[in-house]
Amino acid sequence: GENVEQHPSTLSVQEGDSAVIKCTYSDSASNYFPWYKQELGKRPQLIIDIRSNVGEKKDQRIAVTLNKTAKHFSLHITETQPEDSAVYFCAATPGPNYGGSQGNLIFGKGTKLSVKP
Amino acid sequence: DVKVTQSSRYLVKRTGEKVFLECVQDMDHENMFWYRQDPGLGLRLIYFSYDVKMKEKGDIPEGYSVSREKKERFSLILESASTNQTSMYLCASSLTEHEKLFFGSGTQLSVL
């Protein structure tokens, strides 16, 4: 079945630096890859997503890249600010051979990003 | 904006009690989900529903059941709460499959 690995589990950067979080997935049939941000004590919120027919997507300081051949996708945050401090989760949809529900998203275990002023 | 409301922010229950966690969404979404969030384990799907009275098991359904009698409401039931069910429970909804999830603010359940 689908498995999503996320690295690193914690990441500390200086304000203004870039941050990169990487995820790998196992099911080559996966076709939707969202990223969620969860600030302390708050609910997860979608910040960006990418589908398998696209290699890169940008939204201001945030970008996601997808390498289908290598089965990995990454979140890039440029010019980090203290308000970027949060836990970030990647996720992937399972393919047709997944033993569980096709409607499910498989989440990575999360990366705690700390941006130091 | 979509509003997903969970009935309780904090709950304390005793082992063996029957526990109901309620979730309501106001945007006519087809899909509703119950996740469990534990430190270092990410978000794990317990159950989801893609239509009224329909339900599917997620990755960790043992010890839980669900009910969806109306489109806007999805309930998670712990038939006999156990200490290993102490966790943060997050409800979510989406318009269709493989679309943006809208999460509720979560219920922190403690089973003593």
Side-chain angles (χ1 to χ4, degrees), chain B residues 62-86:
Chain B
E62 296 78 18
Y64 304 95
S65 62
V66 290
S67 172
R68 193 167 182 198
E69 296 296 319
K70 294 185 178 181
K71 192 174 186 179
E72 67 270 19
R73 187 180 297 269
F74 192 35
S75 303
L76 180 69
I77 304 155
L78 287 68
E79 293 289 343
S80 178
S82 63
T83 54
N84 62 12
Q85 292 178 310
T86 290

Short mmCIF file of all heavy atoms in Angstrom, two decimals, chain B residues 62-86:
data_model
loop_
_atom_site.label_atom_id
_atom_site.label_comp_id
_atom_site.label_asym_id
_atom_site.label_seq_id
_atom_site.Cartn_x
_atom_site.Cartn_y
_atom_site.Cartn_z
N GLU B 62 -10.19 0.30 14.40
CA GLU B 62 -10.50 -0.59 15.53
C GLU B 62 -10.84 0.24 16.77
O GLU B 62 -10.11 1.15 17.16
CB GLU B 62 -9.30 -1.49 15.82
CG GLU B 62 -8.95 -2.47 14.71
CD GLU B 62 -8.19 -1.84 13.56
OE1 GLU B 62 -7.63 -0.72 13.77
OE2 GLU B 62 -8.15 -2.41 12.47
N GLY B 63 -11.95 -0.12 17.38
CA GLY B 63 -12.39 0.56 18.60
C GLY B 63 -13.28 1.76 18.35
O GLY B 63 -13.72 2.42 19.30
N TYR B 64 -13.54 2.04 17.07
CA TYR B 64 -14.36 3.19 16.69
C TYR B 64 -15.50 2.77 15.77
O TYR B 64 -15.41 1.76 15.06
CB TYR B 64 -13.51 4.24 15.95
CG TYR B 64 -12.30 4.73 16.68
CD1 TYR B 64 -11.05 4.15 16.46
CD2 TYR B 64 -12.39 5.78 17.58
CE1 TYR B 64 -9.92 4.59 17.13
CE2 TYR B 64 -11.27 6.24 18.24
CZ TYR B 64 -10.04 5.64 18.02
OH TYR B 64 -8.92 6.11 18.68
N SER B 65 -16.56 3.55 15.77
CA SER B 65 -17.60 3.44 14.76
C SER B 65 -18.03 4.86 14.40
O SER B 65 -17.62 5.82 15.06
CB SER B 65 -18.78 2.61 15.25
OG SER B 65 -19.39 3.24 16.38
N VAL B 66 -18.81 4.98 13.34
CA VAL B 66 -19.24 6.30 12.89
C VAL B 66 -20.71 6.25 12.49
O VAL B 66 -21.29 5.19 12.27
CB VAL B 66 -18.41 6.83 11.70
CG1 VAL B 66 -17.00 7.18 12.12
CG2 VAL B 66 -18.42 5.84 10.55
N SER B 67 -21.27 7.45 12.39
CA SER B 67 -22.66 7.58 11.95
C SER B 67 -22.79 8.83 11.10
O SER B 67 -22.28 9.89 11.46
CB SER B 67 -23.58 7.69 13.17
OG SER B 67 -24.90 7.99 12.78
N ARG B 68 -23.46 8.67 9.96
CA ARG B 68 -23.75 9.84 9.13
C ARG B 68 -25.20 9.73 8.66
O ARG B 68 -25.50 9.20 7.60
CB ARG B 68 -22.82 9.94 7.94
CG ARG B 68 -22.92 11.32 7.27
CD ARG B 68 -21.81 11.55 6.32
NE ARG B 68 -21.89 12.87 5.71
CZ ARG B 68 -21.25 13.20 4.60
NH1 ARG B 68 -20.49 12.31 3.99
NH2 ARG B 68 -21.35 14.43 4.11
N GLU B 69 -26.09 10.27 9.48
CA GLU B 69 -27.51 10.25 9.19
C GLU B 69 -27.93 11.42 8.32
O GLU B 69 -28.91 11.35 7.58
CB GLU B 69 -28.31 10.24 10.50
CG GLU B 69 -28.09 8.98 11.33
CD GLU B 69 -28.58 7.73 10.63
OE1 GLU B 69 -29.66 7.78 10.00
OE2 GLU B 69 -27.89 6.70 10.68
N LYS B 70 -27.20 12.53 8.42
CA LYS B 70 -27.46 13.71 7.59
C LYS B 70 -26.16 14.14 6.93
O LYS B 70 -25.07 13.91 7.46
CB LYS B 70 -28.01 14.85 8.45
CG LYS B 70 -29.39 14.58 9.03
CD LYS B 70 -29.93 15.79 9.76
CE LYS B 70 -31.33 15.53 10.29
NZ LYS B 70 -31.89 16.71 10.99
N LYS B 71 -26.28 14.77 5.79
CA LYS B 71 -25.10 15.11 5.00
C LYS B 71 -24.13 16.00 5.77
O LYS B 71 -22.92 15.88 5.64
CB LYS B 71 -25.53 15.82 3.71
CG LYS B 71 -24.42 15.97 2.69
CD LYS B 71 -24.98 16.54 1.39
CE LYS B 71 -23.91 16.57 0.31
NZ LYS B 71 -24.44 17.10 -0.97
N GLU B 72 -24.66 16.90 6.58
CA GLU B 72 -23.80 17.88 7.24
C GLU B 72 -23.17 17.38 8.54
O GLU B 72 -22.31 18.04 9.10
CB GLU B 72 -24.59 19.16 7.53
CG GLU B 72 -25.70 19.01 8.57
CD GLU B 72 -27.03 18.61 7.96
OE1 GLU B 72 -27.04 18.10 6.81
OE2 GLU B 72 -28.06 18.82 8.63
N ARG B 73 -23.58 16.22 9.02
CA ARG B 73 -23.15 15.77 10.34
C ARG B 73 -22.49 14.40 10.27
O ARG B 73 -23.02 13.46 9.67
CB ARG B 73 -24.35 15.72 11.27
CG ARG B 73 -24.03 15.42 12.72
CD ARG B 73 -25.31 15.41 13.56
NE ARG B 73 -25.95 16.72 13.55
CZ ARG B 73 -25.72 17.68 14.43
NH1 ARG B 73 -24.85 17.47 15.40
NH2 ARG B 73 -26.35 18.83 14.35
N PHE B 74 -21.34 14.30 10.93
CA PHE B 74 -20.59 13.03 10.94
C PHE B 74 -20.11 12.81 12.36
O PHE B 74 -19.37 13.63 12.92
CB PHE B 74 -19.41 13.13 9.97
CG PHE B 74 -18.71 11.83 9.66
CD1 PHE B 74 -19.41 10.64 9.56
CD2 PHE B 74 -17.34 11.80 9.42
CE1 PHE B 74 -18.77 9.45 9.24
CE2 PHE B 74 -16.69 10.62 9.10
CZ PHE B 74 -17.41 9.44 9.01
N SER B 75 -20.55 11.71 12.95
CA SER B 75 -20.25 11.44 14.36
C SER B 75 -19.26 10.30 14.50
O SER B 75 -19.35 9.30 13.77
CB SER B 75 -21.53 11.09 15.11
OG SER B 75 -22.48 12.13 14.99
N LEU B 76 -18.35 10.46 15.42
CA LEU B 76 -17.38 9.39 15.76
C LEU B 76 -17.78 8.85 17.13
O LEU B 76 -18.02 9.61 18.06
CB LEU B 76 -15.96 9.94 15.80
CG LEU B 76 -14.86 8.94 16.15
CD1 LEU B 76 -14.67 7.93 15.02
CD2 LEU B 76 -13.55 9.66 16.44
N ILE B 77 -17.85 7.52 17.22
CA ILE B 77 -18.30 6.88 18.45
C ILE B 77 -17.22 5.94 18.97
O ILE B 77 -16.69 5.11 18.21
CB ILE B 77 -19.60 6.08 18.20
CG1 ILE B 77 -20.67 7.01 17.62
CG2 ILE B 77 -20.10 5.44 19.49
CD1 ILE B 77 -21.72 6.32 16.80
N LEU B 78 -16.89 6.11 20.24
CA LEU B 78 -16.02 5.17 20.92
C LEU B 78 -16.93 4.35 21.82
O LEU B 78 -17.47 4.85 22.80
CB LEU B 78 -14.97 5.90 21.76
CG LEU B 78 -13.83 6.61 21.03
CD1 LEU B 78 -14.31 7.80 20.23
CD2 LEU B 78 -12.77 7.05 22.04
N GLU B 79 -17.15 3.10 21.45
CA GLU B 79 -18.13 2.27 22.15
C GLU B 79 -17.75 2.04 23.61
O GLU B 79 -18.59 2.05 24.50
CB GLU B 79 -18.28 0.92 21.44
CG GLU B 79 -18.89 1.02 20.05
CD GLU B 79 -20.39 1.36 20.08
OE1 GLU B 79 -21.03 1.21 21.15
OE2 GLU B 79 -20.91 1.80 19.04
N SER B 80 -16.47 1.84 23.86
CA SER B 80 -15.97 1.62 25.21
C SER B 80 -14.56 2.22 25.28
O SER B 80 -13.60 1.57 24.87
CB SER B 80 -15.94 0.12 25.52
OG SER B 80 -15.42 -0.10 26.83
N ALA B 81 -14.51 3.46 25.73
CA ALA B 81 -13.25 4.20 25.67
C ALA B 81 -12.14 3.50 26.44
O ALA B 81 -12.36 2.94 27.52
CB ALA B 81 -13.45 5.61 26.20
N SER B 82 -10.94 3.56 25.87
CA SER B 82 -9.77 3.00 26.53
C SER B 82 -8.69 4.07 26.60
O SER B 82 -8.71 5.05 25.83
CB SER B 82 -9.26 1.77 25.80
OG SER B 82 -8.84 2.12 24.50
N THR B 83 -7.72 3.89 27.48
CA THR B 83 -6.69 4.91 27.70
C THR B 83 -5.87 5.15 26.42
O THR B 83 -5.39 6.26 26.19
CB THR B 83 -5.76 4.53 28.85
OG1 THR B 83 -5.22 3.23 28.62
CG2 THR B 83 -6.51 4.54 30.18
N ASN B 84 -5.72 4.12 25.58
CA ASN B 84 -4.94 4.32 24.35
C ASN B 84 -5.70 5.08 23.27
O ASN B 84 -5.18 5.30 22.17
CB ASN B 84 -4.41 2.99 23.80
CG ASN B 84 -5.50 2.03 23.41
OD1 ASN B 84 -6.67 2.39 23.35
ND2 ASN B 84 -5.14 0.78 23.15
N GLN B 85 -6.91 5.51 23.59
CA GLN B 85 -7.66 6.37 22.70
C GLN B 85 -7.57 7.84 23.10
O GLN B 85 -8.19 8.71 22.50
CB GLN B 85 -9.13 5.93 22.62
CG GLN B 85 -9.28 4.58 21.93
CD GLN B 85 -10.71 4.09 21.88
OE1 GLN B 85 -11.41 4.06 22.91
NE2 GLN B 85 -11.17 3.66 20.70
N THR B 86 -6.76 8.11 24.11
CA THR B 86 -6.45 9.49 24.45
C THR B 86 -5.68 10.11 23.29
O THR B 86 -4.63 9.60 22.88
CB THR B 86 -5.59 9.56 25.73
OG1 THR B 86 -6.39 9.18 26.84
CG2 THR B 86 -5.05 10.97 25.96
#
